[in-house]
Amino acid sequence: MNYAGRFNSFVFKGQTVYEAIDAYKQMRGITHLEFNYPEHFAGIDLEELKRRMTPLRVNGLAIRWRREWLRGNFTNDDPGLRRRAVQLAKDGCDVCRAIGGSVVTLWFENDGFEYAFQTDYETCWNLMVEGIREVCDYAPDLKISVEYKPYEEREFAMIDSTGMVMYLIDCVDRPNIGCTLDFCHMLMKHDLPAYGLALAASKGRLYGLHMNDGYGYKDSGMIFGSVNFSLCAEFVYYLERYGYNGVVFFDTFPIREESKAECQANLDVFELIKAKVDRVGKEEIARVVAEHDGIAAQRLITELMK
Ligand SMILES: [Mn+2]
């Protein structure tokens, strides 16, 4: 498996990007880096960055629009700001390519609404589709991956569920559009994580993973497998079944925990759950799934817990 951790687990505690890279190099199993653009590139020389990160590779980067676009990224009612929001994503594509990455993740933190009568839904949907299409066409050599989240920062997000992101992919209608699935975001929406995975992967549109765990009512960002063992095991099984060969990125929030140990704990438990799935075997799991029976499923979960 390819693994990456979250830079802000270190940066939010005052460490530099280079210090975080050094920490990742010391962990067992980390293979890739995943940046935020533009925040992690302030004052960074790309050639220097490439030297410092070797032998780690870059998966890609996530665009962060942040507060300047509070009224919307791609649905902003100010045409100039909207244009700059699309341009920021295109600039991110250039940087991603320059450092050897292949996936640009778009999470539309500001595209949503709070009030009835606040939004013309059809107009805004079309702005989302057209903006994303423009980014896809700008960088046909990169994977443009939309990460959905049901709410936070807005009360309602434009792209709020597995179903919505699959519909979006259909509307954008480009070969390089896909999605990144965040485990906590799926739980927040009461989307069954493995179900969404199967829909996206079966269409060849699963470009990224944000692995974490939580209680479902917010973006808890806890260690993978800490809360929902059975759902995590099912998720790993379907990753193997569809031959996912992208990066497993741990999108967790070690606010009180030591960041390096927390990332390593994620990676170790993911490997353990993967080993359990492999021990039981894909064929045996498929046989149980085919029974379509709750008790048989629970017997399998019990077996996986051993
Ligand atoms: Mn995420």
Side-chain angles (χ1 to χ4, degrees):
M1 274 291 178
N2 299 311
Y3 293 107
R6 173 176 168 270
F7 267 112
N8 280 349
S9 299
F10 297 88
V11 173
F12 283 179
K13 291 176 179 172
Q15 290 186 266
T16 66
V17 165
Y18 287 134
E19 285 168 340
I21 289 172
D22 289 340
Y24 285 126
K25 284 182 181 174
Q26 291 164 16
M27 292 181 215
R28 295 182 308 276
I30 292 289
T31 57
H32 285 72
L33 298 171
E34 176 89 27
F35 297 88
N36 286 355
Y37 178 86
E39 64 187 74
H40 295 151
F41 292 90
I44 293 274
D45 176 75
L46 296 186
E47 291 308 313
E48 166 80 1
L49 178 65
K50 281 198 273 189
R51 268 198 305 281
R52 296 281 287 266
M53 67 193 185
T54 307
L56 298 176
R57 286 165 286 160
V58 176
N59 179 47
L61 48 84
I63 309 297
R64 287 287 179 269
W65 289 273
R66 303 294 189 197
R67 296 191 65 81
E68 195 181 350
W69 282 274
L70 279 181
R71 289 169 65 92
N73 306 335
F74 285 13
T75 63
N76 202 294
D77 50 315
D78 177 337
L81 264 182
R82 179 182 185 275
R83 186 104 305 278
R84 282 177 49 216
V86 174
Q87 188 59 48
L88 190 76
K90 291 180 178 179
D91 294 345
C93 289
D94 292 339
V95 171
C96 180
R97 188 186 297 111
I99 58 175
S102 56
V103 183
V104 171
T105 306
L106 308 177
W107 166 52
F108 295 95
E109 59 192 329
N110 297 315
D111 291 301
F113 38 89
E114 287 76 36
Y115 295 91
F117 303 106
Q118 185 179 6
T119 297
D120 185 315
Y121 304 112
E122 183 183 342
T123 300
C124 285
W125 180 263
N126 291 336
L127 288 172
M128 293 296 297
V129 170
E130 287 160 18
I132 295 166
R133 195 180 280 158
E134 193 176 327
V135 177
C136 287
D137 289 342
Y138 178 77
D141 56 324
L142 299 178
K143 289 178 171 169
I144 308 302
S145 194
V146 175
E147 178 184 5
Y148 85 79
K149 186 175 181 180
Y151 48 89
E152 288 176 355
E153 305 297 326
R154 308 300 296 255
E155 290 296 317
F156 292 87
M158 289 291 298
I159 315 299
D160 76 334
S161 59
T162 304
M164 196 73 88
V165 81
M166 293 308 293
Y167 176 55
L168 178 80
I169 286 168
D170 218 41
C171 291
V172 171
D173 192 26
R174 289 295 185 271
N176 60 331
I177 181 69
C179 64
T180 290
L181 296 177
D182 182 304
F183 205 82
C184 270
H185 299 183
M186 302 185 95
L187 296 173
M188 288 164 76
K189 188 63 185 178
H190 201 63
D191 274 345
L192 201 288
Y195 180 19
L197 186 169
L199 290 184
S202 64
K203 298 283 187 188
R205 302 292 182 165
L206 182 62
Y207 290 174
L209 299 176
H210 283 189
M211 302 317 302
N212 45 33
D213 207 349
Y215 295 101
Y217 66 100
K218 67 170 189 164
D219 199 2
S220 305
M222 291 167 66
I223 294 170
F224 185 69
S226 58
V227 181
N228 297 287
F229 170 78
S230 54
L231 297 184
C232 290
E234 188 190 30
F235 198 87
V236 170
Y237 160 67
Y238 278 96
L239 284 179
E240 300 220 333
R241 180 163 144 183
Y242 288 103
Y244 178 77
N245 59 7
V247 169
V248 176
F249 169 73
F250 297 110
D251 193 6
T252 52
F253 315 142
I255 296 163
R256 292 160 198 87
E257 296 75 21
E258 198 278 312
S259 301
K260 201 169 121 192
E262 192 269 356
C263 184
Q264 190 70 58
N266 270 291
L267 201 157
D268 291 348
V269 72
F270 193 98
E271 285 277 297
L272 178 69
I273 292 173
K274 184 174 174 302
K276 287 174 179 292
V277 167
D278 290 343
R279 174 175 54 77
V280 174
K282 285 206 289 285
E283 295 72 22
E284 172 60 12
I285 295 176
R287 189 192 63 72
V288 173
V289 172
E291 284 189 45
H292 212 74
D293 177 70
I295 296 170
Q298 179 54 42
R299 289 281 176 210
L300 171 62
I301 294 166
T302 307
E303 181 61 30
L304 285 165
M305 284 174 168
K306 292 176 186 168

